[in-house]
Amino acid sequence: MDLSIFGQHMRPTTAQIDVPRTYDSHMRWVPKLGDVFPNFQVAHGDGVFDLYDWADGNWVYFFSHPALFTPVCTTEIADVAAHADELASRGAKALNISRDHAADQTRWLQDIERLFGLNIDFPLLSDPDGTIASACGMMHPSEESTLCVRKSFILDPSLRIRMISEYPMNVGRDFEEFLRVIDALQATESNSLVAPGGWMPGDALLVHPYSLTEEAQARFGERLQVINGYLRLVHPKTKAA
Ligand code: BEZ
């Protein structure tokens, strides 16, 4: 329709997004940063797995994968298992979920342990109906209709969601990145600091953009390096300090 008779273009005054109507049917709870992760129970081994009981005050790396006996998923499970000590040293636990059947998972895990010479000591939950996977936004029907995508959550000890990531079916994750995020979250927990891009443990942190330089000066003294009003480095304590 030509609206030029109104003398101006019909420019929206606020942002708008045309979500395809079919997407609306998928809009239920979408996990968001800061949400407390909902508890869930699922049959596991001879008993019932309860997220809150199992997490028990630890940090949690909760991740989904598409399918057992597939190459990328195999390497991802092995990668997490190979970092068991690093997870434990951070007070963190790994938890996996997929729509695979439990009986088949056991054979696959034995395969991975044999192939990589590893012990897999974290739970792989079986959710064949996708009840939990759907609620947690692990199903992306436009990517794949029946399998989970590679979704990862980091939960803090109060079960609050602190990181969410989604990887496509054909790209495996690098678990060291998730360890880095746990390190960065732990390093900035209660000190008004933030971690810069590419931060690694031992690197300088930055003063939170909404914190005053005077306060940072009082707290961090000579460790504070002010480059400008928004780039204020806090160097790590030296061994002597
Ligand atoms: C894999 O893990 O290799 C994989 C699984 C599903 C689709 C594509 C790749």
Side-chain angles (χ1 to χ4, degrees):
M1 192 194 317
D2 181 7
L3 297 173
S4 56
I5 54 166
F6 294 111
Q8 60 186 33
H9 294 293
M10 297 298 284
R11 271 219 337 231
T13 50
T14 54
Q16 60 184 45
I17 181 166
D18 297 326
V19 177
R21 214 176 303 157
T22 50
Y23 286 12
D24 286 344
S25 61
H26 304 296
M27 289 181 74
R28 293 172 304 209
W29 174 64
V30 178
K32 289 178 287 304
L33 297 179
D35 288 355
V36 172
F37 205 88
N39 196 18
F40 63 77
Q41 291 82 27
V42 60
H44 183 62
D46 295 331
V48 173
F49 176 95
D50 178 288
L51 175 68
Y52 284 14
D53 284 350
W54 174 84
D56 193 27
N58 288 275
W59 290 75
V60 175
Y61 174 65
F62 182 34
F63 68 113
S64 60
H65 72 248
L68 42 65
F69 293 114
T70 54
V72 178
C73 295
T74 297
T75 56
E76 288 189 323
I77 296 292
D79 193 20
V80 176
H83 288 88
D85 292 347
E86 284 99 319
L87 263 179
S89 70
R90 291 161 172 83
K93 289 169 141 185
L95 177 66
N96 173 263
I97 195 163
S98 69
R99 299 192 63 182
D100 300 323
H101 287 274
D104 303 326
Q105 280 178 331
T106 308
R107 284 191 301 118
W108 183 46
L109 291 189
Q110 286 166 353
D111 241 16
I112 300 172
E113 292 189 330
R114 187 176 46 78
L115 283 165
F116 293 88
L118 288 166
N119 176 35
I120 298 168
D121 68 350
F122 59 88
L124 274 78
L125 303 179
S126 165
D127 180 27
D129 301 335
T131 309
I132 296 162
S134 294
C136 298
M138 293 166 168
M139 308 296 304
H140 292 207
S142 305
E143 169 85 349
E144 218 291 339
S145 56
T146 58
L147 306 175
C148 295
V149 296
R150 303 181 195 282
K151 186 146 185 165
S152 302
F153 294 100
I154 291 174
L155 313 182
D156 69 18
S158 64
L159 292 154
R160 219 167 266 288
I161 301 174
R162 303 297 298 276
M163 190 225 66
I164 304 172
S165 85
E166 290 162 351
Y167 275 49
M169 314 294 274
N170 55 344
V171 180
R173 289 158 282 200
D174 181 349
F175 185 58
E176 298 213 338
E177 170 60 4
F178 300 105
L179 291 174
R180 190 189 77 88
V181 175
I182 294 174
D183 285 335
L185 287 166
Q186 293 180 347
T188 56
E189 252 327 66
S190 51
N191 53 13
S192 300
L193 298 180
V194 292
W199 178 87
M200 293 297 284
D203 291 348
L205 291 162
L206 298 168
V207 177
H208 192 286
Y210 307 148
S211 292
L212 297 174
T213 300
E214 296 70 35
E215 283 171 14
Q217 182 67 61
R219 286 181 67 185
F220 301 108
E222 293 197 338
R223 290 168 57 206
L224 180 69
Q225 179 191 356
V226 178
I227 294 176
N228 62 26
Y230 57 87
L231 272 177
R232 298 161 298 174
L233 280 68
V234 175
H235 293 280
K237 286 185 183 144
T238 55
K239 289 215 167 62

